Amino acid sequence: MRAPLRCIIQFVFCLLVFNYGNAFAVTPTEIKLRYHLDSQLNNEQLVLHVRLDMKGMTSKRSVLVLPSTWGDVNGLGNGIQHLRAESANTKITDTSDPLRKFLEVSDSTSASISYDVLKDWDGPLRENVRHLVHLEPTWIEINTGNALIHPALKPSDPVDCSFEWSIPVGWSLATSFGVRDRQQHFRGVWDRVQNAVFVAGDFRIHKQKRGRERLFLAVRGTWCVSDDEAKKKITEIFAIERAFWKDDDFPYYLVTVVPFDSSQRGVSGGGGFTDAFSIHTAPEEGFTIGLLSLFTHELFHAWNPYKIGRMPNAPEDIYWFTEGFTTYYQSLLLWRGGLLTTQQYLNAMNQSLRNYYLSPSRNITTKELIQLAQSGHGKDQISYDRGAAIALWLDWSIRRKTHSQKTLGDVMRELVLEGRTQGHSFPELTSDQVFAVTSKYISVDEQAQMKAFVNGIVNVKFPGDALQPCAVEQLVDIPRFDIGMSRDQLENKRVVTNLEAGSEAQKAGIEEGDKVIKLSVYWDDVTKPVDLTVERGGAILPFTFRPTGASLGLVPQFSLQSSTDSQSCPPPLSTPR
């Protein structure tokens, strides 16, 4: 056989082998999930009856996961009752884990189950029950973590999900997947469904549209902030983040607001979900710095990581970036947008630095964080604070090397641009991916230093001029936060117990057994005073004291330059230009 002909035959053979191999390459199997959610009012108690139809199951024996966890809060599945198989030749049996069941199907790749979700708590809506299902005669608030049974899936598994709602005529409906439409559909990775939120009932729905962007606000009850004011503030933060990312490709986002009972005072909080953010707040609490920061943090996640890459199955490996860099930017962007003063921004940065340098987990490695998570330990705060310190150091390093022509913001936007080139099926986000992009902006020695920071091998260090010209660094002796009494009794019983002798609370004049009628405290922040008003012997007595205890050590902190105007100081170059 002549050489040219032999080469052609070999080439065709290789092509056939290549295509044959690709045709039989292993790809994840998409599973179809159809949830039918039917609200039923029985004797003034709202019951949510759920039927789940599953198709595309690859095994005759699968595992069902019962609701149990939202964030770091466990034990949320007590309201699940009457779980049963609905399809023929289907059996549900127990496993050694009460939160998991075996689903056995004899001769099909499809199965159907049903169950009821009931409210499993009594009393007013307060902070201590906000993670539970809310099923009231006039409204519903649930999420996947506390209400939806599902097959055991990895966050990256492909799913085709639909949600069909049967709720009273006149009820509003707003979820991670749309507003008003009783039949909603999502196709993508399981992680997006796993982090979904759903509200229905007497919510007031407001829409803000800008180009392709649709921002929805769903509010119920009475809040000291008007609906128009809330919509304006939320829109402001959206504009700040879009400007930073230089990205208007954000077609849908939902913010829900549920005020606590009037007996809950001085508390506000929230949680991030798929294309959504939920606010729970005391009726008299407005947009506090904490709430603004939390919302900015969760909205930042819409880009970091969700427009960069998929979260890995062991996310602790990348939390330093997804949570830590997001923590760094949450206050920086609010400052850049004029929603925080320079002093308020420095307070937030200093708090994060105190958390980092005083943490007993400061030098825990990434591998150890993964092992702790696998053993049931919750997300460690060190990922947030270590990552924020790394971000500050990295931004300073980039600005120094490029003579302020580039910043950390350029790294973040380049990562998003890389994600766009991958389409909707981009790979898992890894530390190596972040290191590869940052390597274009810093020296080889700095790259090695950064990796050592990330793995907890050495502590993050940065120069005193990292926030020049606005602020200077100095070492400050930090006292331990000490409220001087039982926190549990103070928050839940509103009474002073276990008052510590010699504490700042006792020195201020507070006495054992005082009945607390007003409380303002910034937990774990020694820079803020505690304001406490008590009733004692028929008299109303106000007290203010600093919640400080013994020294914890010296920590780098930033303070305004003596000649700097805190209202007009320009933000550093890491912010949007």
Side-chain angles (χ1 to χ4, degrees):
M1 186 181 296
R2 280 180 272 184
L5 182 58
R6 186 187 306 117
C7 289
I8 293 172
I9 293 173
Q10 288 175 342
F11 175 75
V12 172
F13 176 76
C14 289
L15 240 138
L16 288 170
V17 170
F18 176 79
N19 287 328
Y20 181 85
N22 276 352
F24 289 91
V26 177
T27 58
T29 301
E30 182 180 72
I31 187 169
K32 292 187 177 181
L33 305 175
R34 176 175 292 179
Y35 287 93
H36 307 256
L37 303 106
D38 182 11
S39 66
Q40 302 172 355
L41 191 60
N42 298 326
N43 298 321
E44 298 302 315
Q45 181 182 26
L46 190 74
V47 177
L48 190 63
H49 181 70
V50 182
R51 178 187 171 106
L52 170 59
D53 300 324
M54 297 165 278
K55 292 183 179 181
M57 301 164 65
T58 57
S59 173
K60 291 184 178 181
R61 192 186 207 196
S62 305
V63 173
L64 291 176
V65 180
L66 275 61
S68 63
T69 304
W70 171 19
D72 294 331
V73 179
N74 300 314
L76 303 179
N78 296 329
I80 303 299
Q81 295 185 13
H82 310 132
L83 173 61
R84 56 189 174 271
E86 294 289 354
S87 52
N89 304 314
T90 303
K91 237 181 4 177
I92 298 175
T93 57
D94 291 335
T95 71
S96 57
D97 183 349
L99 298 176
R100 290 175 176 254
K101 303 287 185 182
F102 284 129
L103 179 67
E104 299 179 12
V105 183
S106 61
D107 57 0
S108 175
T109 59
S110 302
S112 297
I113 64 169
S114 69
Y115 61 96
D116 292 328
V117 185
L118 286 77
K119 176 183 173 183
D120 64 334
W121 56 276
D122 295 314
L125 174 56
R126 298 173 62 88
E127 166 64 23
N128 63 328
V129 296
R130 75 178 180 91
H131 294 87
L132 305 179
V133 295
H134 302 305
L135 298 174
E136 304 294 344
T138 59
W139 64 282
I140 292 171
E141 182 184 34
I142 61 171
N143 58 65
T144 303
N146 65 20
L148 298 187
I149 294 177
H150 56 82
L153 297 167
K154 295 178 181 178
S156 58
D157 284 345
V159 294
D160 185 337
C161 283
S162 61
F163 302 87
E164 299 179 2
W165 290 85
S166 178
I167 52 180
V169 175
W171 272 30
S172 299
L173 176 66
T175 82
S176 286
F177 309 115
V179 170
R180 298 188 180 93
D181 190 355
R182 265 45 173 180
Q183 294 190 356
Q184 299 176 344
H185 178 256
F186 170 81
R187 191 175 187 182
V189 295
W190 170 246
D191 180 63
R192 305 292 278 166
V193 180
Q194 191 173 23
N195 292 298
V197 67
F198 312 85
V199 301
D202 58 359
F203 285 82
R204 304 182 296 277
I205 306 292
H206 303 276
K207 179 180 179 180
Q208 180 75 29
K209 189 173 182 180
R210 179 183 178 275
R212 291 183 63 244
E213 176 186 288
R214 294 177 302 144
L215 171 63
F216 289 91
L217 175 66
V219 191
R220 73 166 308 275
T222 303
W223 189 24
C224 67
V225 179
S226 72
D227 291 3
D228 285 342
E229 288 175 303
K231 186 169 67 171
K232 180 182 177 182
K233 186 70 70 176
I234 290 165
T235 303
E236 279 186 83
I237 295 175
F238 257 88
I240 292 168
E241 299 221 16
R242 282 197 315 266
F244 171 78
W245 292 105
K246 300 179 181 178
D247 180 17
D248 284 332
D249 185 18
F250 213 91
Y252 176 81
Y253 200 86
L254 168 70
V255 177
T256 68
V257 180
V258 176
F260 290 129
D261 184 87
S262 58
S263 63
Q264 176 76 78
R265 297 182 178 277
V267 175
S268 62
F273 295 92
T274 296
D275 293 335
F277 181 74
S278 69
I279 296 173
H280 293 89
T281 180
E284 82 286 354
E285 285 288 305
F287 276 102
T288 62
I289 292 176
L291 188 56
L292 287 173
S293 298
L294 183 58
F295 177 47
T296 306
H297 182 106
E298 296 300 336
L299 181 57
F300 200 84
H301 280 319
W303 287 271
N304 177 24
Y306 291 118
K307 287 196 174 186
I308 298 175
R310 288 186 288 108
M311 285 298 286
N313 292 325
E316 292 74 21
D317 182 56
I318 197 65
Y319 276 156
W320 66 271
F321 174 73
T322 60
E323 295 294 356
F325 279 38
T326 300
T327 297
Y328 170 72
Y329 273 112
Q330 69 186 36
S331 300
L332 189 59
L333 294 184
L334 288 172
W335 179 30
R336 175 64 178 85
L339 299 180
L340 291 185
T341 66
T342 300
Q343 187 58 62
Q344 288 171 329
Y345 165 68
L346 292 178
N347 290 345
M349 175 61 72
N350 286 335
Q351 179 65 54
S352 183
L353 292 175
R354 289 195 296 273
N355 292 344
Y356 170 62
Y357 284 105
L358 298 175
S359 171
S361 304
R362 185 173 66 246
N363 296 116
I364 192 171
T365 66
T366 302
K367 183 178 179 180
E368 289 169 332
L369 286 172
I370 294 173
Q371 291 172 342
L372 285 171
Q374 290 173 343
S375 65
H377 190 277
K379 187 187 296 184
D380 200 301
Q381 179 66 31
I382 191 59
S383 297
Y384 293 72
D385 299 316
R386 180 194 286 165
I390 293 171
L392 177 61
W393 169 86
L394 181 57
D395 180 64
W396 174 85
S397 299
I398 294 171
R399 286 189 286 121
R400 182 188 62 172
K401 186 171 187 289
T402 65
H403 304 289
S404 295
Q405 297 302 304
K406 299 291 183 180
T407 71
L408 178 57
D410 293 290
V411 172
M412 304 301 290
R413 289 184 284 271
E414 184 172 337
L415 284 164
V416 168
L417 286 174
E418 280 192 357
R420 283 179 181 161
T421 64
Q422 303 293 331
H424 292 292
S425 58
F426 45 74
E428 288 185 350
L429 176 59
T430 65
S431 294
D432 286 342
Q433 181 182 345
V434 180
F435 294 148
V437 173
T438 56
S439 68
K440 305 174 187 177
Y441 297 83
I442 57 177
S443 68
V444 173
D445 288 343
E446 287 170 330
Q447 293 172 43
Q449 193 175 9
M450 180 178 172
K451 292 178 181 179
F453 291 159
V454 168
N455 286 302
I457 297 171
V458 295
N459 295 331
V460 181
K461 294 181 180 179
F462 38 81
D465 63 351
L467 292 181
Q468 289 280 20
C470 298
V472 292
E473 180 207 44
Q474 56 186 342
L475 291 176
V476 177
D477 187 21
I478 303 298
R480 178 172 61 90
F481 181 90
D482 186 2
I483 194 69
M485 64 194 78
S486 167
R487 175 173 177 171
D488 178 66
Q489 294 295 306
L490 179 64
E491 286 191 299
N492 298 315
K493 302 294 185 182
R494 296 288 168 151
V495 64
V496 175
T497 60
N498 300 327
L499 185 67
E500 298 173 10
S503 66
E504 294 301 315
Q506 187 193 51
K507 292 176 185 177
I510 295 171
E511 296 182 1
E512 183 79 13
D514 279 346
K515 182 180 178 182
V516 179
I517 58 175
K518 188 176 180 181
L519 172 66
S520 174
V521 56
Y522 295 83
W523 293 106
D524 301 319
D525 188 349
V526 296
T527 68
K528 302 282 198 318
V530 174
D531 292 315
L532 203 67
T533 301
V534 306
E535 181 181 351
R536 183 192 304 159
I540 304 299
L541 307 172
F543 296 98
T544 299
F545 65 93
R546 293 277 178 179
T548 58
S551 172
L552 291 172
L554 295 172
V555 171
Q557 299 280 270
F558 288 96
S559 59
L560 281 170
Q561 295 269 36
S562 57
S563 60
T564 298
D565 179 357
S566 66
Q567 297 289 341
S568 61
C569 178
L573 291 172
S574 55
T575 57
R577 295 192 293 274

